[in-house]
Amino acid sequence: MPEHPTVVIGSAGRRLYLVDWFRDAFAALGLDGRVVVTENDPTSSAASYGDVARQLPRYTDPAYGLALLDLVDEMRPRLFVSVNDYELMHLHVHTDLAQQLRHRGVLVPGVSSEWQRGCADKLQMARLLDEIGVRTPLTLRGGDQDGLAELAGRVDEVVVKHRFGSGSSGLALVPAGAALAAVANAVRTAPVTGGRAPTADDVVVQPRLTGVEHGVDIVGDLHVPGALSAVLARSKLRMRAGETDKAVTVDSGPFRRNAALIARAAGLTGLIDVDMFLGADGEASVIDINPRFGGGYPFVHLAGSDVPRYCIASAFGVTIDDGWRDYEPGVISAKYEGVRVTARAGVASLVAR
């Protein structure tokens, strides 16, 4: 056991509760641990909230990789958890940083490079899910005019969203006959790579699903990729800015088949946040996957589950029972606003320049 058991949370942003819950996990396990928070903005909500705060260059900065490795060599964490989609792409796909961290003895939860790409590309994600037998809505490129015309003859409403967006980027629910106009509108703000101009193919269109939308956390073994450890579910009651704002915990039974198939195919370690619609026939369809702690995890944590405790125990070789995965169905929780001082005038003036 290291002298100061350490976990690093990258790009924690507004998720101060996650820092608290990892601290609580150390305390519950009797470990004198520390939570290091890394941010590129020293005035963000979480930047100064960790036991140790470190400013790193933005993930797009060429200096980011060396700075991250230097931090790891200094702090010697056993676990690195990022909650930023784009930082995860940089770690797992655009560079070999995730592997370099693992070679240093750091657990870096996530999915395979192929599935990480799929999580960032909604068209590719639909193909990956189809291949493993997980139900998902038909997903068309916004530029597929013949496909959109055929779809309009079968459904009344469609969902339009950015192909490479995060959260609810570009989301619009429109009559099927208005899909082309909605695609044209979404193209204006569509994120792309390589500095090119966005096109209609950077937008996807899907039929609107019926049923109830759920958020499901799929938790994989930290040491055995693809081995399923837990499935945690809640029904979404209200959304705000692309994130679940109010939810009620529910039994995870209807989602376990999909969870097992995804965990195995993706080589999952740690937690991913999956959005599913539960139809009247009892079958669940996957509409999105976020390969990280998502905004819906707090609802199952407050109902009794404790994934941070599982992660800390697994990372540092502490034996715990299976109670960490248990939660009470029927618990309704809602988010609320909070605010804290993150810097004084000297630092703030530097950031503003």
Side-chain angles (χ1 to χ4, degrees):
M1 183 74 66
E3 181 182 358
H4 294 292
T6 301
V7 58
V8 176
I9 301 180
S11 303
R14 296 164 57 89
R15 292 184 170 91
L16 275 62
Y17 55 78
L18 199 57
V19 178
D20 285 333
W21 293 339
F22 271 95
R23 279 201 192 103
D24 292 346
F26 275 127
L29 297 172
L31 300 177
D32 183 20
R34 58 185 177 180
V35 180
V36 178
V37 173
T38 64
E39 287 280 357
N40 71 286
D41 176 4
T43 64
S44 75
S45 297
S48 59
Y49 195 68
D51 302 312
V52 178
R54 286 299 174 87
Q55 184 179 358
L56 292 183
R58 187 172 170 80
Y59 66 90
T60 53
D61 190 317
Y64 168 85
L66 181 58
L68 176 60
L69 295 176
D70 285 345
L71 171 71
V72 167
D73 289 342
E74 176 192 352
M75 296 290 179
R76 299 195 176 279
R78 284 277 182 85
L79 181 66
F80 179 88
V81 177
S82 174
V83 290
N84 180 284
D85 291 329
Y86 301 109
E87 184 176 41
L88 286 167
M89 279 292 291
H90 190 75
L91 290 166
H92 292 276
V93 176
H94 299 149
T95 71
D96 66 346
L97 279 170
Q99 285 303 319
Q100 290 193 57
L101 293 179
R102 290 174 181 136
H103 289 156
R104 284 166 160 81
V106 183
L107 293 167
V108 185
V111 294
S112 68
S113 295
E114 179 186 24
W115 277 73
Q116 183 69 51
R117 290 188 186 94
C119 291
D121 179 346
K122 293 177 176 60
L123 186 64
Q124 177 64 10
M125 175 53 59
R127 292 170 179 162
L128 289 172
L129 292 169
D130 280 337
E131 288 173 0
I132 63 172
V134 170
R135 184 187 289 190
T136 190
L138 172 69
T139 303
L140 301 174
R141 294 177 291 105
D144 182 1
Q145 296 191 22
D146 291 339
L148 294 181
E150 192 276 334
L151 182 62
R154 293 191 294 108
V155 302
D156 294 327
E157 291 183 298
V158 296
V159 177
V160 177
K161 51 190 173 182
H162 291 152
R163 176 177 172 181
F164 301 100
S166 180
S168 299
S169 173
L171 183 65
L173 177 63
V174 300
L180 287 176
V183 167
N185 185 59
V187 167
R188 298 186 186 125
T189 55
V192 296
T193 58
R196 61 180 177 82
T199 71
D201 285 345
D202 295 307
V203 177
V204 294
V205 180
Q206 300 171 326
R208 181 187 182 185
L209 295 182
T210 58
V212 179
E213 186 174 0
H214 291 74
V216 181
D217 291 319
I218 305 176
V219 186
D221 189 293
L222 280 182
H223 299 279
V224 184
L228 184 65
S229 294
V231 184
L232 318 169
R234 59 265 168 196
S235 175
K236 299 184 179 185
L237 301 177
R238 185 174 66 209
M239 300 292 292
R240 182 179 181 187
E243 195 171 90
T244 309
D245 191 53
K246 181 189 288 188
V248 56
T249 50
V250 298
D251 177 70
S252 64
F255 312 104
R256 289 174 188 159
R257 175 186 176 274
N258 283 350
L261 291 171
I262 292 169
R264 182 165 60 249
L268 172 65
T269 57
L271 180 148
I272 58 174
D273 172 35
V274 183
D275 292 330
M276 302 192 204
F277 266 86
L278 187 61
D281 60 358
E283 294 294 321
S285 299
V286 173
I287 60 170
D288 200 11
I289 298 179
N290 302 299
R292 51 173 170 75
F293 277 91
Y297 172 71
F299 300 101
V300 290
H301 188 96
L302 293 175
S305 62
D306 196 339
V307 175
R309 182 162 61 91
Y310 165 71
C311 290
I312 294 296
S314 183
F316 294 97
V318 179
T319 301
I320 59 173
D321 61 31
D322 291 337
W324 67 268
R325 71 184 71 175
D326 296 335
Y327 63 94
E328 179 186 353
V331 176
I332 299 175
S333 301
K335 294 181 180 176
Y336 59 92
E337 293 293 338
V339 63
R340 65 185 297 266
V341 174
T342 60
R344 298 296 178 186
V347 175
S349 64
L350 290 174
V351 174
R353 290 178 184 173

